Amino acid sequence: MTSEPPRTTPAPRKGSAPPGGWRESSRVDRERRIREILARHAVETQEELVERLREHGLAVTQATVSRDIKRLGLVKVPWTDGRSHYVAPEKPSPVDVLRRLQHAVTEYVLAAETGEDLVVVHTLTGRANAVAAAIDEMQWEDVVGTVSGDDTILVVPRRRAMRDRVLLRLRNLMEGRAP
């Protein structure tokens, strides 16, 4: 955390819709936007965060943003100007990382299988990147990394012998069990 607050710009008028109107937002969308907003602006209240998200065209409520703030682990910290602003933690906790992976796998993964040396994960259309990012964020010692397309992920085990263990972890998550 820095001692200087992010630069500020005025929040949009309450209720003002962006050109083209608001659109429904996924949790992944909102969380990404919230991080971007906090990196650029000194946000003091949940209401201000709601307005800034709406400025980006996302249809959100204060209750939804309140849950997002809790899930992201955002905290209010005092700055040198005496006011408090929301900040994101430098590094997510292991519990939060696992929770994100569990959610991504149970919500978006359709199947997981092995190839010669790889694990192939099939997801709902447009969700592979979110699942791959969650797998990468876990930093499993037996996974070198992932490559994702629109609805398919290649999970690259560190060694061939680790392939089945990686597949088992993913299938356990798909069934709601611990990896």
Side-chain angles (χ1 to χ4, degrees), residues 34-50:
I34 288 169
R35 286 187 186 98
E36 289 173 4
I37 289 167
L38 295 181
R40 293 185 179 105
H41 307 284
V43 176
E44 297 181 49
T45 65
Q46 290 183 11
E47 293 78 15
E48 182 182 353
L49 187 52
V50 167

Side-chain angles (χ1 to χ4, degrees), residues 27-143:
R27 186 164 77 179
V28 173
D29 254 358
R30 287 192 317 273
E31 289 179 357
R32 181 178 50 81
R33 284 289 184 191
I34 288 169
R35 286 187 186 98
E36 289 173 4
I37 289 167
L38 295 181
R40 293 185 179 105
H41 307 284
V43 176
E44 297 181 49
T45 65
Q46 290 183 11
E47 293 78 15
E48 182 182 353
L49 187 52
V50 167
E51 291 302 315
R52 292 201 179 272
L53 288 164
R54 288 177 178 169
E55 183 180 64
H56 286 278
L58 301 180
V60 295
T61 65
Q62 188 273 331
T64 299
V65 169
S66 178
R67 287 188 296 271
D68 291 340
I69 287 171
K70 183 177 180 180
R71 191 172 35 258
L72 289 168
L74 303 182
V75 293
K76 285 184 97 173
V77 297
W79 295 94
T80 55
D81 63 2
R83 297 169 20 200
S84 294
H85 307 279
Y86 281 106
V87 295
E90 302 263 332
K91 183 179 177 186
S93 75
V95 171
D96 290 336
V97 172
L98 177 58
R99 189 178 308 132
R100 275 195 290 275
L101 177 61
Q102 286 172 322
H103 173 76
V105 169
T106 57
E107 293 293 318
Y108 307 138
V109 173
L110 302 173
E113 57 190 334
T114 57
E116 181 70 25
D117 294 324
L118 305 172
V119 175
V120 180
V121 179
H122 301 281
T123 70
L124 296 172
T125 302
R127 301 298 188 199
N129 192 46
V131 176
I135 292 169
D136 289 338
E137 193 175 23
M138 282 297 294
Q139 297 181 355
W140 283 335
E141 62 194 37
D142 46 0
V143 173

